[in-house]
mmCIF file of all heavy atoms in Angstrom:
data_model
loop_
_atom_site.group_PDB
_atom_site.id
_atom_site.type_symbol
_atom_site.label_atom_id
_atom_site.label_comp_id
_atom_site.label_asym_id
_atom_site.label_seq_id
_atom_site.Cartn_x
_atom_site.Cartn_y
_atom_site.Cartn_z
ATOM 1 N N ARG A 231 70.231 140.541 -109.474
ATOM 2 C CA ARG A 231 69.856 139.485 -108.598
ATOM 3 C C ARG A 231 69.831 138.192 -109.386
ATOM 4 O O ARG A 231 70.151 137.099 -108.823
ATOM 5 C CB ARG A 231 68.430 139.836 -107.975
ATOM 6 C CG ARG A 231 67.939 138.738 -107.096
ATOM 7 C CD ARG A 231 68.570 138.709 -105.802
ATOM 8 N NE ARG A 231 68.396 140.027 -104.967
ATOM 9 C CZ ARG A 231 67.425 140.441 -104.285
ATOM 10 N NH1 ARG A 231 66.335 139.681 -104.165
ATOM 11 N NH2 ARG A 231 67.307 141.540 -103.714
ATOM 12 N N ASN A 232 69.548 138.123 -110.633
ATOM 13 C CA ASN A 232 69.415 136.946 -111.368
ATOM 14 C C ASN A 232 70.672 136.604 -112.018
ATOM 15 O O ASN A 232 70.971 136.789 -113.289
ATOM 16 C CB ASN A 232 68.284 137.141 -112.519
ATOM 17 C CG ASN A 232 67.952 135.817 -113.245
ATOM 18 O OD1 ASN A 232 68.187 134.707 -112.733
ATOM 19 N ND2 ASN A 232 67.250 136.025 -114.395
ATOM 20 N N THR A 233 71.608 136.084 -111.366
ATOM 21 C CA THR A 233 72.761 135.567 -111.781
ATOM 22 C C THR A 233 72.781 134.019 -111.989
ATOM 23 O O THR A 233 71.878 133.409 -111.557
ATOM 24 C CB THR A 233 74.034 136.011 -110.855
ATOM 25 O OG1 THR A 233 73.807 135.378 -109.569
ATOM 26 C CG2 THR A 233 74.106 137.393 -110.743
ATOM 27 N N TYR A 234 73.847 133.514 -112.566
ATOM 28 C CA TYR A 234 73.863 131.966 -112.775
ATOM 29 C C TYR A 234 73.930 131.407 -111.448
ATOM 30 O O TYR A 234 74.865 131.679 -110.517
ATOM 31 C CB TYR A 234 75.108 131.687 -113.605
ATOM 32 C CG TYR A 234 75.197 130.174 -113.980
ATOM 33 C CD1 TYR A 234 74.401 129.633 -114.942
ATOM 34 C CD2 TYR A 234 75.977 129.299 -113.196
ATOM 35 C CE1 TYR A 234 74.371 128.351 -115.253
ATOM 36 C CE2 TYR A 234 76.144 127.936 -113.621
ATOM 37 C CZ TYR A 234 75.289 127.471 -114.508
ATOM 38 O OH TYR A 234 75.166 126.105 -114.838
ATOM 39 N N ARG A 235 73.144 130.496 -111.101
ATOM 40 C CA ARG A 235 72.979 129.776 -109.802
ATOM 41 C C ARG A 235 72.617 130.717 -108.676
ATOM 42 O O ARG A 235 72.737 130.422 -107.520
ATOM 43 C CB ARG A 235 74.185 128.890 -109.536
ATOM 44 C CG ARG A 235 74.361 127.774 -110.573
ATOM 45 C CD ARG A 235 73.289 126.803 -110.426
ATOM 46 N NE ARG A 235 73.296 125.764 -111.461
ATOM 47 C CZ ARG A 235 73.846 124.513 -111.161
ATOM 48 N NH1 ARG A 235 74.212 124.272 -109.993
ATOM 49 N NH2 ARG A 235 73.845 123.562 -112.147
ATOM 50 N N HIS A 236 72.310 131.948 -109.052
ATOM 51 C CA HIS A 236 71.753 132.893 -108.032
ATOM 52 C C HIS A 236 72.788 133.215 -106.866
ATOM 53 O O HIS A 236 72.492 133.381 -105.727
ATOM 54 C CB HIS A 236 70.507 132.477 -107.426
ATOM 55 C CG HIS A 236 69.462 132.340 -108.655
ATOM 56 N ND1 HIS A 236 68.870 133.400 -109.312
ATOM 57 C CD2 HIS A 236 69.068 131.181 -109.184
ATOM 58 C CE1 HIS A 236 68.020 132.867 -110.143
ATOM 59 N NE2 HIS A 236 68.144 131.600 -110.280
ATOM 60 N N GLU A 237 74.015 133.240 -107.105
ATOM 61 C CA GLU A 237 75.003 133.534 -106.096
ATOM 62 C C GLU A 237 75.165 135.049 -105.878
ATOM 63 O O GLU A 237 75.140 135.740 -106.860
ATOM 64 C CB GLU A 237 76.387 132.880 -106.413
ATOM 65 C CG GLU A 237 76.356 131.354 -106.416
ATOM 66 C CD GLU A 237 77.724 130.780 -106.881
ATOM 67 O OE1 GLU A 237 78.655 131.421 -106.690
ATOM 68 O OE2 GLU A 237 77.691 129.485 -107.127
ATOM 69 N N PRO A 238 75.456 135.436 -104.668
ATOM 70 C CA PRO A 238 75.530 136.924 -104.489
ATOM 71 C C PRO A 238 76.742 137.604 -105.121
ATOM 72 O O PRO A 238 76.812 138.791 -105.504
ATOM 73 C CB PRO A 238 75.649 137.108 -103.029
ATOM 74 C CG PRO A 238 76.062 135.779 -102.332
ATOM 75 C CD PRO A 238 75.522 134.783 -103.398
ATOM 76 N N ASN A 239 77.801 136.822 -105.291
ATOM 77 C CA ASN A 239 78.960 137.312 -106.024
ATOM 78 C C ASN A 239 79.068 136.500 -107.309
ATOM 79 O O ASN A 239 80.110 135.981 -107.701
ATOM 80 C CB ASN A 239 80.245 137.265 -105.162
ATOM 81 C CG ASN A 239 81.443 138.031 -105.847
ATOM 82 O OD1 ASN A 239 81.427 139.111 -106.238
ATOM 83 N ND2 ASN A 239 82.523 137.238 -105.832
ATOM 84 N N GLY A 240 78.051 136.454 -108.075
ATOM 85 C CA GLY A 240 77.924 135.398 -109.072
ATOM 86 C C GLY A 240 78.306 135.682 -110.476
ATOM 87 O O GLY A 240 79.037 136.853 -110.677
ATOM 88 N N LEU A 241 77.779 135.042 -111.399
ATOM 89 C CA LEU A 241 78.225 135.098 -112.835
ATOM 90 C C LEU A 241 76.998 135.581 -113.678
ATOM 91 O O LEU A 241 75.887 135.265 -113.502
ATOM 92 C CB LEU A 241 78.679 133.770 -113.311
ATOM 93 C CG LEU A 241 79.835 133.109 -112.421
ATOM 94 C CD1 LEU A 241 80.304 131.772 -113.119
ATOM 95 C CD2 LEU A 241 81.042 133.997 -112.202
ATOM 96 N N ARG A 242 77.382 136.224 -114.774
ATOM 97 C CA ARG A 242 76.394 136.705 -115.737
ATOM 98 C C ARG A 242 75.699 135.509 -116.302
ATOM 99 O O ARG A 242 76.320 134.714 -116.957
ATOM 100 C CB ARG A 242 77.069 137.587 -116.858
ATOM 101 C CG ARG A 242 76.110 138.121 -117.842
ATOM 102 C CD ARG A 242 76.746 139.079 -118.763
ATOM 103 N NE ARG A 242 76.212 139.091 -120.093
ATOM 104 C CZ ARG A 242 76.444 139.943 -121.062
ATOM 105 N NH1 ARG A 242 77.399 140.841 -120.864
ATOM 106 N NH2 ARG A 242 75.941 139.824 -122.343
ATOM 107 N N LYS A 243 74.419 135.464 -116.259
ATOM 108 C CA LYS A 243 73.722 134.245 -116.555
ATOM 109 C C LYS A 243 73.758 133.869 -117.926
ATOM 110 O O LYS A 243 74.163 132.551 -118.280
ATOM 111 C CB LYS A 243 72.223 134.509 -116.209
ATOM 112 C CG LYS A 243 71.393 133.109 -116.208
ATOM 113 C CD LYS A 243 69.980 133.404 -115.677
ATOM 114 C CE LYS A 243 69.267 132.117 -115.545
ATOM 115 N NZ LYS A 243 67.946 132.302 -115.146
ATOM 116 N N ASP A 244 73.772 134.676 -118.905
ATOM 117 C CA ASP A 244 73.697 134.104 -120.416
ATOM 118 C C ASP A 244 75.114 133.645 -120.771
ATOM 119 O O ASP A 244 75.256 132.638 -121.452
ATOM 120 C CB ASP A 244 73.224 135.207 -121.404
ATOM 121 C CG ASP A 244 74.210 136.499 -121.385
ATOM 122 O OD1 ASP A 244 74.700 136.833 -120.313
ATOM 123 O OD2 ASP A 244 74.402 137.059 -122.421
ATOM 124 N N LEU A 245 76.169 134.355 -120.289
ATOM 125 C CA LEU A 245 77.532 133.828 -120.587
ATOM 126 C C LEU A 245 77.808 132.511 -119.866
ATOM 127 O O LEU A 245 78.281 131.561 -120.528
ATOM 128 C CB LEU A 245 78.543 134.792 -120.130
ATOM 129 C CG LEU A 245 78.420 136.187 -120.905
ATOM 130 C CD1 LEU A 245 79.498 137.150 -120.479
ATOM 131 C CD2 LEU A 245 78.471 136.027 -122.365
ATOM 132 N N ALA A 246 77.407 132.363 -118.606
ATOM 133 C CA ALA A 246 77.606 131.145 -117.870
ATOM 134 C C ALA A 246 76.915 129.917 -118.460
ATOM 135 O O ALA A 246 77.337 128.808 -118.619
ATOM 136 C CB ALA A 246 77.244 131.342 -116.410
ATOM 137 N N GLU A 247 75.678 130.337 -118.982
ATOM 138 C CA GLU A 247 74.869 129.203 -119.491
ATOM 139 C C GLU A 247 75.355 128.738 -120.932
ATOM 140 O O GLU A 247 75.254 127.566 -121.243
ATOM 141 C CB GLU A 247 73.412 129.662 -119.760
ATOM 142 C CG GLU A 247 72.673 129.740 -118.491
ATOM 143 C CD GLU A 247 71.249 130.391 -118.615
ATOM 144 O OE1 GLU A 247 70.944 130.983 -119.631
ATOM 145 O OE2 GLU A 247 70.355 130.212 -117.588
ATOM 146 N N LYS A 248 76.057 129.602 -121.570
ATOM 147 C CA LYS A 248 76.728 129.145 -122.829
ATOM 148 C C LYS A 248 77.906 128.138 -122.557
ATOM 149 O O LYS A 248 77.994 127.216 -123.344
ATOM 150 C CB LYS A 248 77.175 130.406 -123.549
ATOM 151 C CG LYS A 248 76.111 131.123 -124.280
ATOM 152 C CD LYS A 248 76.703 132.206 -125.217
ATOM 153 C CE LYS A 248 75.496 133.070 -125.849
ATOM 154 N NZ LYS A 248 74.533 132.202 -126.555
ATOM 155 N N ILE A 249 78.557 128.517 -121.538
ATOM 156 C CA ILE A 249 79.657 127.438 -121.150
ATOM 157 C C ILE A 249 78.907 126.175 -120.692
ATOM 158 O O ILE A 249 79.421 125.046 -121.083
ATOM 159 C CB ILE A 249 80.497 127.956 -120.140
ATOM 160 C CG1 ILE A 249 81.095 129.321 -120.448
ATOM 161 C CG2 ILE A 249 81.679 127.019 -119.711
ATOM 162 C CD1 ILE A 249 82.016 129.950 -119.325
ATOM 163 N N ALA A 250 77.991 126.278 -119.866
ATOM 164 C CA ALA A 250 77.297 125.059 -119.312
ATOM 165 C C ALA A 250 76.797 124.236 -120.406
ATOM 166 O O ALA A 250 76.736 122.970 -120.326
ATOM 167 C CB ALA A 250 76.203 125.412 -118.283
ATOM 168 N N ALA A 251 76.177 124.812 -121.497
ATOM 169 C CA ALA A 251 75.577 124.165 -122.486
ATOM 170 C C ALA A 251 76.571 123.221 -123.342
ATOM 171 O O ALA A 251 76.191 122.203 -124.003
ATOM 172 C CB ALA A 251 74.815 125.072 -123.530
ATOM 173 N N LEU A 252 77.891 123.583 -123.191
ATOM 174 C CA LEU A 252 78.825 122.825 -123.805
ATOM 175 C C LEU A 252 79.109 121.423 -123.058
ATOM 176 O O LEU A 252 79.664 120.521 -123.632
ATOM 177 C CB LEU A 252 80.195 123.468 -123.939
ATOM 178 C CG LEU A 252 80.236 124.833 -124.846
ATOM 179 C CD1 LEU A 252 81.523 125.568 -124.514
ATOM 180 C CD2 LEU A 252 80.065 124.409 -126.246
ATOM 181 N N HIS A 253 78.679 121.419 -121.753
ATOM 182 C CA HIS A 253 78.894 120.254 -121.027
ATOM 183 C C HIS A 253 80.449 119.985 -120.946
ATOM 184 O O HIS A 253 80.760 118.790 -121.201
ATOM 185 C CB HIS A 253 78.084 119.008 -121.506
ATOM 186 C CG HIS A 253 76.588 119.186 -121.359
ATOM 187 N ND1 HIS A 253 75.993 119.337 -120.192
ATOM 188 C CD2 HIS A 253 75.678 119.443 -122.262
ATOM 189 C CE1 HIS A 253 74.695 119.457 -120.441
ATOM 190 N NE2 HIS A 253 74.500 119.599 -121.694
ATOM 191 N N PRO A 254 81.289 120.891 -120.619
ATOM 192 C CA PRO A 254 82.715 120.643 -120.607
ATOM 193 C C PRO A 254 83.119 119.708 -119.643
ATOM 194 O O PRO A 254 82.664 119.695 -118.515
ATOM 195 C CB PRO A 254 83.303 122.109 -120.401
ATOM 196 C CG PRO A 254 82.234 122.809 -119.653
ATOM 197 C CD PRO A 254 80.873 122.281 -120.105
ATOM 198 N N GLY A 255 84.167 118.925 -119.937
ATOM 199 C CA GLY A 255 84.793 117.972 -118.958
ATOM 200 C C GLY A 255 85.691 118.675 -118.031
ATOM 201 O O GLY A 255 85.973 118.104 -116.907
ATOM 202 N N PHE A 256 86.152 119.783 -118.376
ATOM 203 C CA PHE A 256 87.087 120.593 -117.343
ATOM 204 C C PHE A 256 87.034 122.018 -117.695
ATOM 205 O O PHE A 256 86.533 122.540 -118.826
ATOM 206 C CB PHE A 256 88.533 119.962 -117.560
ATOM 207 C CG PHE A 256 89.078 120.380 -118.941
ATOM 208 C CD1 PHE A 256 89.781 121.554 -119.191
ATOM 209 C CD2 PHE A 256 89.112 119.451 -119.964
ATOM 210 C CE1 PHE A 256 90.366 121.820 -120.418
ATOM 211 C CE2 PHE A 256 89.622 119.684 -121.199
ATOM 212 C CZ PHE A 256 90.356 120.879 -121.405
ATOM 213 N N VAL A 257 87.536 122.834 -116.743
ATOM 214 C CA VAL A 257 87.682 124.269 -116.815
ATOM 215 C C VAL A 257 89.145 124.506 -116.597
ATOM 216 O O VAL A 257 89.500 124.432 -115.448
ATOM 217 C CB VAL A 257 86.673 125.106 -116.066
ATOM 218 C CG1 VAL A 257 86.967 126.523 -116.268
ATOM 219 C CG2 VAL A 257 85.218 124.682 -116.310
ATOM 220 N N ARG A 258 89.895 125.033 -117.504
ATOM 221 C CA ARG A 258 91.334 125.487 -117.223
ATOM 222 C C ARG A 258 91.122 126.954 -117.012
ATOM 223 O O ARG A 258 90.522 127.737 -117.668
ATOM 224 C CB ARG A 258 92.187 125.257 -118.477
ATOM 225 C CG ARG A 258 93.576 125.728 -118.332
ATOM 226 C CD ARG A 258 94.406 125.381 -119.572
ATOM 227 N NE ARG A 258 95.799 125.787 -119.494
ATOM 228 C CZ ARG A 258 96.331 126.787 -120.176
ATOM 229 N NH1 ARG A 258 95.540 127.408 -121.015
ATOM 230 N NH2 ARG A 258 97.589 127.106 -119.953
ATOM 231 N N PHE A 259 91.807 127.421 -115.955
ATOM 232 C CA PHE A 259 91.847 128.784 -115.489
ATOM 233 C C PHE A 259 93.125 129.082 -114.654
ATOM 234 O O PHE A 259 93.719 128.191 -114.112
ATOM 235 C CB PHE A 259 90.557 129.137 -114.704
ATOM 236 C CG PHE A 259 90.561 128.327 -113.400
ATOM 237 C CD1 PHE A 259 90.934 128.837 -112.195
ATOM 238 C CD2 PHE A 259 89.959 127.135 -113.388
ATOM 239 C CE1 PHE A 259 90.945 128.174 -111.000
ATOM 240 C CE2 PHE A 259 89.878 126.337 -112.135
ATOM 241 C CZ PHE A 259 90.378 126.842 -111.009
ATOM 242 N N PRO A 260 93.548 130.364 -114.365
ATOM 243 C CA PRO A 260 93.006 131.510 -114.945
ATOM 244 C C PRO A 260 93.760 132.008 -116.169
ATOM 245 O O PRO A 260 93.529 133.123 -116.670
ATOM 246 C CB PRO A 260 93.247 132.595 -113.687
ATOM 247 C CG PRO A 260 94.674 132.061 -113.198
ATOM 248 C CD PRO A 260 94.525 130.543 -113.295
ATOM 249 N N GLY A 261 94.785 131.385 -116.612
ATOM 250 C CA GLY A 261 95.506 131.833 -117.832
ATOM 251 C C GLY A 261 96.431 130.688 -118.164
ATOM 252 O O GLY A 261 96.608 129.682 -117.531
ATOM 253 N N GLY A 262 97.172 130.829 -119.300
ATOM 254 C CA GLY A 262 97.307 131.949 -120.074
ATOM 255 C C GLY A 262 98.405 132.908 -119.612
ATOM 256 O O GLY A 262 99.148 132.698 -118.618
#
Side-chain angles (χ1 to χ4, degrees):
R231 180 74 60 85
N232 188 16
T233 59
Y234 185 75
R235 295 297 174 100
H236 304 282
E237 295 178 17
N239 190 50
L241 307 180
R242 178 171 151 176
K243 191 173 183 180
D244 62 325
L245 297 183
E247 286 177 343
K248 286 186 181 301
I249 304 176
L252 294 170
H253 299 288
F256 65 88
V257 179
R258 177 178 181 250
F259 63 90

